[in-house]
Amino acid sequence: MRVRQLLLQSQRGFASAASKRTSLSIGLIPADGIGREVIPAARRVIEAVIPNKVRLEFVDLAAGFELFTKTGVALPEETIRVCRDGGVDGALFGSVSSPSHKVAGYASPIVALRKKLDLYANVRPVVSVSPNSNIDMVIVRENTECLVCRIFSFTSLRAKAMFIKYIKSESIENNADGTRTAYATRKISETASRRIATMAFNIALARGAARPSNSPLPLVTVVHKSNVLSITDGLFREVCHDVWNTGKDGEFKKLARMDEQLVDSMVYRLFREPHKFDVCVAPNLYGDIISDGAAALVGSLGVVASTNVGDNFCVGEPVHGSAPDIAGKGISNPIAAVRSAGMLLSYLGFNEEASKIDIAVNKVLLGDKNLLTPDLGGHGKTDGVTNAIIKLL
Ligand code: NAI
Ligand code: MG
């Protein structure tokens, strides 16, 4: 069990020291669409796996596009405050229905929450359970900058109050000929690149430690496009090299290998030889794109979990979005959210419980195909899959 647990732990990407907590408080932010179906499923699994001696509490927290349409606020201050000021030990986020067109005053609440809580890493394990496939990688996505995030600045108002001014990193201009031109500014900093690279190499070392001693050293693949974006991606690449060469008093270089891949050929290789990847580290946007692609290799977006991790807090979050095409039908796959709950528990030191969840999920995935949800080719429902997982805990 110990070896298996270590392996499962390393597949999840990280684990903390075993918890001596006697109470556990988890914030639930279902937000929109199928987030409202899969987060309650994850809650039921947590309730079933956490031992009775631990006082378990859930705190409902609001966010989302629907909330914005009703109140003009997508991420209430209260939600931020509860997460930031110790109101809960960790949180689970569902998914948000961000529109594809510009809506005045709206910004994605999950992007804002990651930024507000400085959850600088998005850790996304992509693991196949089928005996015919051996995919086992962790995508480590930078979570605070690149093309995805707006820039915040604080301006003092009559010396007393502070307010946040949103400086858009996108702009649009009207041309003299009546057409328009849009611009986006991309931010890549040495600080953010250094800490995401450090996270990736630490994850690689943990994975290496869980493998048999005669295994090859773990491999970190740095994903970039510095042949074209030689300044921004060039900085990301340079910092990753430096972290490998000098990080952790030489441990990274001694105990892990590093290679690099341009993002376009990364997609190609990901589809042709996904089993060759171990830990992949990427700036925000590339990390988002390659992880949805990698999800297709393990059956469905509905099974791929993630956590948003900072130095002090963790928010578990399925990789998928709000899936408006299936929302309300009771057929959303709860596994990504359930695995994200497992990752959150692991972060909080409940490693044994997280492993129980992973083992139960893997058994369900390998069991009666009919019971699985339609994204995996079955005829099952969200509740049926959740019940099957709980039965195996
Ligand atoms: P999506 O991830 O919501 O859906 C893509 C496809 O995967 C759809 O066919 C959907 O039915 C399927 N799918 C996703 N999760 C599933 C699950 N648990 N079970 C079964 N099938 C599942 O991506 P899409 O359609 O591009 O975006 C929809 C909305 O979600 C948009 O408003 C987008 O902005 C938002 N979104 C939000 C994210 C977040 O909250 N972090 C991340 C990605 C998208
Ligand atoms: Mg995505």
Side-chain angles (χ1 to χ4, degrees):
M1 177 67 190
R2 172 104 188 107
V3 173
R4 193 173 181 195
Q5 196 171 314
L6 265 181
L7 186 71
L8 287 166
Q9 232 162 271
S10 74
Q11 286 181 336
R12 280 192 299 273
F14 60 85
S16 308
S19 169
K20 294 191 178 60
R21 287 169 195 271
T22 54
S23 68
L24 177 63
S25 173
I26 295 179
L28 298 178
I29 318 171
D32 299 314
I34 63 165
R36 297 190 196 147
E37 300 165 28
V38 297
I39 295 302
R43 173 189 173 140
R44 287 181 54 213
V45 172
I46 295 174
E47 282 169 339
V49 81
I50 292 294
N52 287 336
K53 62 180 187 219
V54 177
R55 196 158 37 82
L56 181 63
E57 175 202 34
F58 293 96
V59 180
D60 293 323
L61 299 170
F65 185 68
E66 192 181 311
L67 182 75
F68 174 81
T69 59
K70 287 183 185 150
T71 66
V73 177
L75 180 65
E77 270 305 315
E78 175 67 3
T79 298
I80 303 167
R81 192 190 60 73
V82 169
C83 294
R84 192 190 46 212
D85 300 342
V88 288
D89 300 310
L92 277 178
F93 187 93
S95 54
V96 51
S97 293
S98 292
S100 295
H101 57 275
K102 166 124 193 69
V103 174
Y106 175 77
S108 163
I110 183 63
V111 174
L113 192 68
R114 290 166 181 162
K115 184 102 185 157
K116 293 269 184 191
L117 302 176
D118 202 20
L119 305 172
Y120 59 84
N122 193 251
V123 180
R124 302 180 153 189
V126 181
V127 185
S128 57
V129 295
S130 151
N132 306 320
S133 170
N134 53 351
I135 300 170
D136 176 6
M137 72 179 100
V138 176
I139 296 171
V140 184
R141 169 189 175 191
E142 202 289 321
N143 225 7
T144 61
E145 53 184 34
C146 192
L147 277 166
V148 180
C149 298
R150 286 155 190 251
I151 300 163
F152 295 83
S153 84
F154 294 83
T155 314
S156 93
L157 185 67
R158 295 232 172 95
K160 274 190 180 159
M162 299 286 281
F163 69 96
I164 299 169
K165 190 177 171 195
Y166 294 83
I167 301 172
K168 270 184 276 169
S169 55
E170 277 190 287
S171 61
I172 192 156
E173 281 175 7
N174 293 316
N175 303 320
D177 65 0
T179 62
R180 289 164 300 161
T181 305
Y183 300 88
T185 311
R186 182 171 188 238
K187 176 184 168 193
I188 298 284
S189 73
E190 197 169 334
T191 305
S193 304
R194 189 168 296 283
R195 60 186 183 173
I196 201 70
T198 304
M199 168 82 78
F201 280 102
N202 275 323
I203 288 173
L205 262 49
R207 284 163 71 81
R211 291 176 184 155
S213 55
N214 58 353
S215 309
L217 290 178
L219 174 68
V220 175
T221 304
V222 179
V223 182
H224 59 77
K225 183 79 181 167
S226 68
N227 55 336
V228 175
L229 296 166
S230 59
I231 297 182
T232 46
D233 276 344
L235 180 62
F236 184 79
R237 173 182 180 271
E238 182 194 315
V239 172
C240 288
H241 273 265
D242 187 52
V243 168
W244 181 55
N245 276 312
T246 63
K248 224 173 186 177
D249 295 328
E251 292 270 290
F252 289 159
K253 189 148 194 186
K254 202 170 102 195
L255 298 173
R257 294 171 293 147
M258 192 198 92
D259 73 1
E260 52 187 299
Q261 196 70 48
L262 299 177
V263 64
D264 42 354
S265 51
M266 175 73 195
V267 173
Y268 177 75
R269 283 195 59 209
L270 203 54
F271 289 169
R272 286 185 68 104
E273 42 186 26
H275 56 281
K276 291 203 174 155
F277 292 100
D278 187 354
V279 177
C280 305
V281 62
N284 203 333
L285 187 61
Y286 305 153
D288 191 14
I289 293 169
I290 61 171
S291 44
D292 273 31
L297 302 169
V298 292
S300 167
L301 261 173
V303 300
V304 182
S306 87
T307 43
N308 301 285
V309 195
D311 290 332
N312 306 306
F313 200 71
C314 177
V315 178
E317 181 202 353
V319 164
H320 62 72
S322 61
D325 52 338
I326 56 165
K329 296 184 179 162
I331 54 164
S332 55
N333 193 336
I335 289 178
V338 167
R339 282 178 161 167
S340 303
M343 290 182 77
L344 173 66
L345 292 182
S346 193
Y347 174 90
L348 294 168
F350 292 94
N351 297 314
E352 216 173 292
E353 290 76 11
S355 296
K356 281 186 187 163
I357 292 177
D358 284 340
I359 291 166
V361 164
N362 292 352
K363 275 196 186 140
V364 168
L365 283 170
L366 290 172
D368 180 3
K369 198 170 173 189
N370 256 323
L371 180 113
L372 301 174
T373 44
D375 56 310
L376 291 173
H379 302 289
K381 298 260 184 187
T382 312
D383 280 349
V385 175
T386 312
N387 293 342
I389 295 168
I390 290 173
K391 219 168 152 187
L392 290 167
L393 290 173

